[in-house]
Amino acid sequence: PIKHYIKPHLAISWQYQMATSSRDNGKEAMQPGYEDEVDDFSFGGNHEFSPKQGAAKANRSAPSNAAPSVLGKGSEGAKDSIDLEMQPLTGTANEIPQAERPKKRLYNVWPSRNKFFCKGTMMTGGETEMGITPNCSVPNLCVWTCILAPCSLYFIWVFPHLWKEGCYALPLATLAVFVMATGFLLATCCSDPGIIPRREVVIATKTAKQLQEQLGYDMLCTDSVPLDGRGGGGRLPQELTSRGYRWCRTCRIVRPPRSSHCPDCDNCVMRYDHHCPFVNNCVGQRNYHFFFGFVTSVLCLAMMVLPVLFWFLNSENFELAVDGMIHVSSGALQPVFYALIALGALVGIATLLSFVLWVYHVFLIATKRTTKEFRRNLSNIAEEPTLCASRGPRLFDPWALVDPRDLIRTDEAPPPTPSNFCQDIWSTCFGDDYN
């Protein structure tokens, strides 16, 4: 009857297992004449097996009182007979668990154009129009040059001269203002302007409830907008739109009043003022204090450095030193002095522009308006001060562990890398083939 249930190769495997177990238990446990049959099952044997022979040997090796059974079936005496052949494969205790997908820090996979430094401690914005690189702009380089070049001449020549003459207050005050100006510039360039994380970042970091507590509303609008955020512009509650809340199609979030999306950094920013290429960053709620402090301190620094520097360059001691240097070098330093004159003119123009910028922002602070609100004639719905208001907390954690694939939108292609100032000049001079 076995030939009706099993195939010949299954019978061979079963008989081989029976022979192996019998050999391990000792030859005395075998029936007479079984040793020859076991040898026939060895790998070197030439025994030809048929289903009838396998059935006969199976009946002879099994106990006389054993009930007939079918291979792959449960015993007939069992309470629940189970067909083992029809059972699905299940894992064992030694099964290797599936490895988790690797995660990275958020600042390493930030989806917009910002660049993080010092392991996420500092960040700078993007630059699409006047950029040397995507995160370094020509105006920002000019600002650093206009500050460091005249101040270097001041501290190399003027500072020691005034100190020897017994004038200590002016050099020390100039040094303090210089430290303040460079510190405010660094803080403006490398701080978070008040970025509102986009939808993918909020979902990947699982901070929706925390942001709802900080902002006072659900920025994902989970009750009416799908999880991926598509088509959310027409599904905002009336109570939010009536208070000035708007939908951002790029970030796919609900942004509060006075905030806006920066096309250069590709982020929504709280109380967005403007994107400043001179600081290579957005100016918003969390760094406007640094920006106004920088404009004020650099104006004071120019008023303290430039007049004293021009006075010293026209003094007799400096003329004698210059005459000696020119005589020794046979006029080789004349181009250097011409360059200094040109740099002085550039610094003077920058000082006048800084004064105009300072007056403009004093006017904005007095009227409680931002640059965008003034340029587009928008009203301050929240009636919130521009300078004296609270900075607020940072709305994202750059050190959070996220899966990089959670930040990729499957329904749209990644945006192309924007060109910058140097790339446009290079393409104009040498063509696109040299990029």
Side-chain angles (χ1 to χ4, degrees), residues 4 21 39 94-95 180 186 198 205 229-230 258 294 319-320 364 369 373 400 427:
H4 299 292
S21 61
D39 293 336
N94 296 327
E95 183 180 359
M180 292 176 58
L186 281 174
R198 57 178 59 191
T205 55
R230 287 185 291 183
R258 309 190 76 185
F294 160 69
E319 290 180 357
L320 294 175
L364 292 179
R369 304 173 75 179
E373 292 171 348
S427 300

Side-chain angles (χ1 to χ4, degrees), residues 137-159:
S137 65
V138 175
N140 183 247
L141 182 62
C142 293
V143 167
W144 282 106
T145 303
C146 291
I147 293 177
L148 296 180
C151 289
S152 299
L153 298 178
Y154 180 89
F155 290 116
I156 291 174
W157 288 335
V158 180
F159 191 94

Side-chain angles (χ1 to χ4, degrees), residues 107-185:
Y107 68 85
N108 288 325
V109 291
W110 186 252
S112 63
R113 300 193 188 104
N114 298 87
K115 184 69 175 180
F116 288 85
F117 302 95
C118 300
K119 296 183 178 181
T121 305
M122 297 186 295
M123 62 179 298
T124 186
E127 184 59 43
T128 59
E129 296 180 358
M130 300 293 293
I132 302 175
T133 65
N135 299 100
C136 182
S137 65
V138 175
N140 183 247
L141 182 62
C142 293
V143 167
W144 282 106
T145 303
C146 291
I147 293 177
L148 296 180
C151 289
S152 299
L153 298 178
Y154 180 89
F155 290 116
I156 291 174
W157 288 335
V158 180
F159 191 94
H161 176 74
L162 294 178
W163 196 268
K164 290 179 181 179
E165 295 293 332
C167 182
Y168 304 114
L170 182 59
L172 292 178
T174 305
L175 179 61
V177 175
F178 171 77
V179 173
M180 292 176 58
T182 54
F184 279 129
L185 179 57

